[in-house]
Amino acid sequence: MNLSLNDDQRLIRESAESFLADASASAAVRAAMEGELGYDPAVWQRIAGELGWCGIAVPEELGGLGLGPVELALVQEVCGYRLLCAPFFSSACLASTLLLELANDDARAAWLPQLAAGEQRLSAPLPSDAAGFLAATALKASQEGEGWSLSGRATRLPEGDSADALLLLAAVEGEALPGLFLVRRAAAGLRLSSQPGFDRGRRFAEAELSAVAAERIDERERAAAGYAAAAARVRLYIAAEQLGAAQACLDLTVAYTATRKQFGRAIAGFQAIKHRCAEMMVRIEALRSAVAGAAAQLAAGAELAECVAECAAAKALASDTLFWCAQEAIQLHGGVGFTWEYDPQLYFKRAQASSHWLGTAEALRELVAGFVLRTPHAPTPALPRDAGEGALAGFREEIAGWMQRHLSGRYASLKHRGGPGDEEADPALRKEWERELAAGGWTGVGWPKSHGGRGLSIAEQVVFHEEYARAGGPGRMGHIGEGLLGPTLIKFGTPEQQQRFLPRILDGSEYWAQGYSEPNAGSDLANVQTRCWQEADGSWRVQGQKIWTSLAHESEWIFVLARSEPGSKGGKGLSFLLLPLDQPGIEIRPISQLGGGSEFNEVFFDGAKAEAAHLVGKPGEGWKVAMGLLEIERGVSTLGQQMHFLHELERVVAAARQRGLDRDPFIRNRIAGAWAGLKVLRYHALRMLATDDQLSLGREALVYKYAWSNWHRELGKLGMDVLAAAGEGGDEAARPLQQLFFFSRADTIYGGTNEIQLNLIAERGLGMPREARPVG
């Protein structure tokens, strides 16, 4: 699945941004709210006629642009950002979707071309129930000869008082599902009245009908799937709108904090402000991934049940995210955030108003839980093998077949072992497994062929890592060498270093540890105190201490970042060295951890030696090399990590079922949230993979470590809450969830603590200052 936008999609988004920046600026929005119609007819005419937005998702043969949910969601996002006042949502998103999913061919041919051209404005009910459109059945339909009449009340009709026609759902005697009817505005017996609300940017109306003539337009064979599909798509479009609004809240807040001074300084420099803005960005990027992934699933024609669950999860996340960002915007604007003059109050009102459209967040998560727990013994729905992969399907089968044949016999005990918190599991056998992988050609799959790798494309590497984890492949003993040092040497190393080390990494004969963290540096990697100096013969000596060094006691080599220029500070004056661990002057001491394991170590250097040829880069260039290595950490193997997470989630779900907690509403809600969060992580990772086989280190990459580590920590807590008292004993069945619970406490610490991550997100992602400075 490719979540990168193509040129046409970027053009659609950019043109929407350009147009609405003027047509729906703050002053224009406020003027439209006060107007009789609730929108500017001139703006609407440009949207409907000139820009053609109403036909984005309408097939070309019916007068539309023949695009789809991805493109319509992009425009909806911009509309949400600008709080567009227009009948666009009601006509192009709501009514158009109902026609496409439920209407018969004659009705589609009659109405969709007019809707696509903006010649007709339609509205339909937008219920507040997670049952979706099936909840909009207060009307009763009666058949009179060949015609129909409707009686009763229809509520929650967006822009309904200015619509040319209404699409209404009504109960039909003898039928399990409601029928879809079209009522023209001029129909006798129809009375429309506005429903005043605090969110004046989207007006609602209600309709009183007394034996009103109506056209029945639904195709009954489509109804069962059609109502579910329509609700899924409209939820996606609402979520996209909420995403845009949340982004606006963040942008308004960052801009305001850059100019607002307290104690002589811009408040954007205060860490408390930076962290809250960074948290907004984290949540928004999670929502962006959820919306992009759900839209792509719909566009690819994925299984309906999966699409329904993903769109429900996206809408639940969107409601929570927009409300949280809107309230933060008001808080961080201070007193002016509570005034009518400033815009945060407009977004806050939209956040609350939209929070219940087609279901509250809690009700939608219950819908998701029903999907995840759909049968008593079904596994959690797996992260899918993407539809439409073409040639990759055969490659998947090749990997899956190889894993099935080889991860058996003496290696069968390694399935799903050796991951985080379990890295001490049978290291000798896992090293043999590494050699088995090497013999099969499955090490260095992303390395260039010129350096002994397979030279697989990004897409092929994604497939390998997913299928490896799907089969239960054990945690890789060689991941630091293969995943970190190897690519670093390919980029920065000399030919001699490449010839010496790369083959032994690939064949599983040498293993590596990472010497970065220090006791007094913590997440401040540049605060390196370990020092090194060069001897007369060109070799290097190292003095100092590294800590939290994973599997150093199982490794032959370590790469070390050390200070080579006395008196230098920060990232200057550092060098990157390669040292054998089995030598005088190196002592390795295991660290007993919270969960009882000791895969972490302290490594002490007392004049330890590195050969002159084992300096990577030039003296003083160590920071450049170290940063290059950290960027490599955000590679395609993250998708394999997520398959491991999926296995852990399946363990939690199985434990919940075993204890009858799959019926507990609070546990169900948390399971649904965990499943949805894992989908977000998948889409985060896919967004990081650009189409040109280069890793994209954009906003989604900045938030990824913070996102997965916090998600994983919450999964650990959920696992223990499911086990309850059973998790306190020594039950072997509880051991994996105990390990998950204890080791996930470290996830938000190693590799950069939450606090450091939030600083990086604020400074690099939002451009906020590194420290509070006077505004001059």
Side-chain angles (χ1 to χ4, degrees):
M1 179 184 293
N2 181 8
L3 296 187
S4 299
L5 298 182
N6 61 37
D7 291 341
D8 289 340
Q9 290 165 342
R10 281 191 287 269
L11 181 61
I12 288 170
R13 184 178 65 185
E14 289 167 4
S15 65
E17 290 171 341
S18 177
F19 172 69
L20 292 183
D22 293 325
S24 192
S26 177
V29 168
R30 292 165 181 267
M33 288 179 178
E34 301 298 330
E36 180 180 353
L37 290 175
Y39 63 90
D40 184 341
V43 171
W44 172 245
Q45 286 303 316
R46 291 192 64 189
I47 288 174
E50 178 183 329
L51 297 173
W53 289 358
C54 293
I56 286 175
V58 175
E60 288 183 276
E61 63 270 22
L62 292 173
L65 298 180
L67 299 173
V70 174
E71 292 79 9
L72 189 50
L74 288 173
V75 174
Q76 264 293 94
E77 180 185 341
V78 182
C79 292
Y81 188 93
R82 293 294 178 181
L83 291 179
L84 172 67
C85 297
F88 176 71
F89 169 75
S90 57
S91 283
C93 298
L94 179 57
S96 174
T97 298
L98 286 168
L99 287 169
L100 286 168
E101 297 293 346
L102 288 159
N104 58 46
D105 291 342
D106 289 343
R108 289 162 60 139
W111 285 94
L112 282 172
Q114 296 184 74
L115 189 150
E119 297 168 357
Q120 294 286 330
R121 300 182 302 277
L122 277 70
S123 184
L126 189 63
S128 297
D129 196 303
F133 299 110
L134 297 179
T137 56
L139 290 173
K140 303 296 182 183
S142 301
Q143 191 165 16
E144 300 177 354
E146 295 183 359
W148 292 83
S149 69
L150 304 183
S151 296
R153 177 183 295 175
T155 60
R156 307 298 301 162
L157 299 166
E159 287 92 33
D161 54 355
S162 62
D164 298 305
L166 304 176
L167 295 178
L168 300 176
L169 292 87
V172 180
E173 186 176 357
E175 297 184 20
L177 296 174
L180 180 66
F181 297 86
L182 187 136
V183 174
R184 298 173 189 270
R185 181 181 181 86
L190 171 64
R191 187 170 67 87
L192 284 167
S193 59
S194 64
Q195 291 179 301
F198 55 74
D199 178 11
R200 294 158 66 181
R202 175 157 296 145
R203 298 187 181 182
F204 284 84
E206 69 175 24
E208 290 280 356
L209 296 91
S210 178
V212 175
E215 303 169 41
R216 185 166 187 179
I217 63 172
D218 56 303
E219 180 65 56
R220 299 184 193 186
E221 293 181 358
R222 293 177 180 157
Y227 280 113
R233 286 178 181 264
V234 176
R235 284 184 181 120
L236 170 69
Y237 302 142
I238 296 170
E241 178 182 299
Q242 292 172 310
L243 166 62
Q247 183 65 58
C249 290
L250 175 57
D251 290 349
L252 287 171
T253 303
V254 171
Y256 178 78
T257 60
T259 58
R260 176 73 168 110
K261 291 193 294 183
Q262 285 281 337
F263 311 109
R265 299 175 177 177
I267 63 174
F270 298 152
Q271 183 165 275
I273 302 294
K274 288 162 62 174
H275 282 195
R276 293 176 78 162
C277 290
E279 182 66 36
M280 291 170 73
M281 178 175 153
V282 169
R283 295 181 184 226
I284 289 168
E285 290 308 309
L287 176 56
R288 194 180 309 282
S289 291
V291 168
Q297 289 281 70
L298 284 170
E303 179 188 357
L304 177 59
E306 181 90 8
C307 290
V308 168
E310 290 211 27
C311 291
K315 169 59 170 66
L317 181 62
S319 294
D320 288 343
T321 299
L322 175 54
F323 190 87
W324 196 88
C325 289
Q327 71 176 9
E328 287 295 281
I330 289 177
Q331 179 68 30
L332 296 180
H333 274 73
V336 299
F338 193 69
T339 66
W340 178 264
E341 178 185 356
Y342 281 72
D343 285 348
Q345 54 95 7
L346 300 177
Y347 292 95
F348 182 72
K349 290 171 181 174
R350 176 59 54 86
Q352 178 57 37
S354 63
S355 66
H356 60 80
W357 295 346
L358 290 180
T360 64
E362 293 77 13
L364 291 174
R365 279 192 286 270
E366 172 55 31
L367 187 154
V368 173
F371 170 69
V372 176
L373 300 163
R374 64 192 183 279
T375 59
H377 303 292
T380 306
L383 299 178
R385 294 180 170 95
D386 295 327
E389 284 188 324
L392 289 179
F395 186 53
R396 279 196 186 276
E397 291 178 5
E398 177 189 352
I399 301 164
W402 190 93
M403 291 295 292
Q404 184 178 19
R405 293 190 303 273
H406 292 262
L407 193 57
S408 59
R410 62 194 308 268
Y411 296 122
S413 63
L414 294 180
K415 284 187 177 181
H416 299 294
R417 297 299 307 274
D422 190 36
E423 288 182 314
E424 292 178 295
D426 208 339
L429 185 59
R430 283 165 55 210
K431 287 182 178 180
E432 290 186 35
W433 170 250
E434 293 286 330
R435 292 189 282 275
E436 185 81 3
L437 282 174
W442 298 115
T443 55
V445 293
W447 291 15
K449 292 182 180 179
S450 59
H451 290 93
R454 291 191 61 159
L456 298 185
S457 68
I458 290 289
E460 289 169 325
Q461 292 177 61
V462 168
V463 169
F464 169 73
H465 287 292
E466 286 189 338
E467 292 306 311
Y468 180 86
R470 197 188 301 272
R476 297 289 308 279
M477 291 290 293
H479 74 96
I480 292 178
E482 182 182 332
L484 299 181
L485 181 66
T488 301
L489 291 180
I490 290 171
K491 184 174 182 179
F492 297 104
T494 65
E496 293 76 18
Q497 290 169 346
Q498 294 166 355
Q499 292 167 12
R500 164 62 185 84
F501 294 109
L502 296 184
R504 292 171 174 82
I505 292 174
L506 287 176
D507 67 15
S509 59
E510 288 182 345
Y511 295 90
W512 285 81
Q514 176 175 274
Y516 272 10
S517 296
E518 297 187 3
N520 295 319
S523 296
D524 183 9
L525 178 59
N527 187 25
V528 171
Q529 303 300 311
T530 296
R531 58 189 180 91
C532 64
W533 63 92
Q534 198 165 20
E535 301 283 9
D537 62 359
S539 65
W540 292 83
R541 296 286 178 173
V542 179
Q543 191 77 26
Q545 179 187 357
K546 298 293 181 178
I547 199 169
W548 317 124
T549 313
S550 297
L551 296 178
H553 59 298
E554 294 288 349
S555 301
E556 285 77 35
W557 287 80
I558 187 171
F559 53 87
V560 173
L561 190 63
R563 191 162 300 282
S564 54
E565 296 178 13
S568 60
K569 300 290 184 181
K572 297 181 179 180
L574 301 174
S575 293
F576 193 99
L577 296 165
L578 313 177
L579 287 82
L581 284 166
D582 185 12
Q583 64 162 301
I586 291 184
E587 181 184 359
I588 299 172
R589 298 179 189 171
I591 299 173
S592 295
Q593 298 160 199
L594 181 154
S598 55
E599 58 260 43
F600 290 159
N601 300 269
E602 293 177 284
V603 182
F604 296 88
F605 303 88
D606 186 10
K609 181 179 179 180
E611 299 293 340
H614 295 169
L615 170 73
V616 181
K618 297 178 181 178
E621 290 186 345
W623 186 250
K624 171 183 170 182
V625 178
M627 290 301 98
L629 183 145
L630 290 177
E631 289 184 355
I632 291 166
E633 281 191 294
R634 300 183 176 97
V636 295
S637 61
T638 55
L639 289 166
Q641 175 198 51
Q642 291 160 27
M643 293 301 300
H644 174 70
F645 289 166
L646 174 64
H647 179 67
E648 293 178 325
L649 176 56
E650 288 175 338
R651 287 185 185 274
V652 173
V653 171
R657 287 197 180 104
Q658 183 181 6
R659 289 160 175 77
L661 293 175
D662 56 329
R663 297 185 295 275
D664 182 295
F666 299 104
I667 295 296
R668 288 171 65 87
N669 195 275
R670 290 169 67 187
I671 287 174
W675 179 85
L678 184 54
K679 282 299 186 81
V680 165
L681 293 179
R682 173 180 171 79
Y683 296 139
H684 262 337
L686 289 173
R687 287 174 59 208
M688 289 191 288
L689 304 177
T691 55
D692 60 357
D693 278 6
Q694 297 297 315
L695 292 181
S696 168
L697 298 178
R699 291 162 69 96
E700 62 277 2
L702 277 174
V703 306
Y704 185 74
K705 197 275 176 178
Y706 183 89
W708 77 253
S709 60
N710 284 274
W711 176 89
H712 199 225
R713 188 173 66 177
E714 290 304 308
L715 181 67
K717 182 64 168 68
L718 173 59
M720 289 301 283
D721 288 346
V722 165
L723 290 176
E728 299 177 14
D731 184 357
E732 184 63 20
R735 181 186 58 81
L737 293 186
Q738 288 175 336
Q739 289 177 321
L740 165 63
F741 173 65
F742 288 126
F743 195 81
S744 62
R745 297 291 101 184
D747 288 340
T748 54
I749 300 173
Y750 69 79
T753 66
N754 270 357
E755 293 71 26
I756 293 296
Q757 294 295 321
L758 290 173
N759 278 345
L760 293 174
I761 291 166
E763 293 164 7
R764 298 183 185 180
L766 298 174
M768 301 180 83
R770 287 182 174 271
E771 59 184 16
R773 298 185 181 92
V775 177

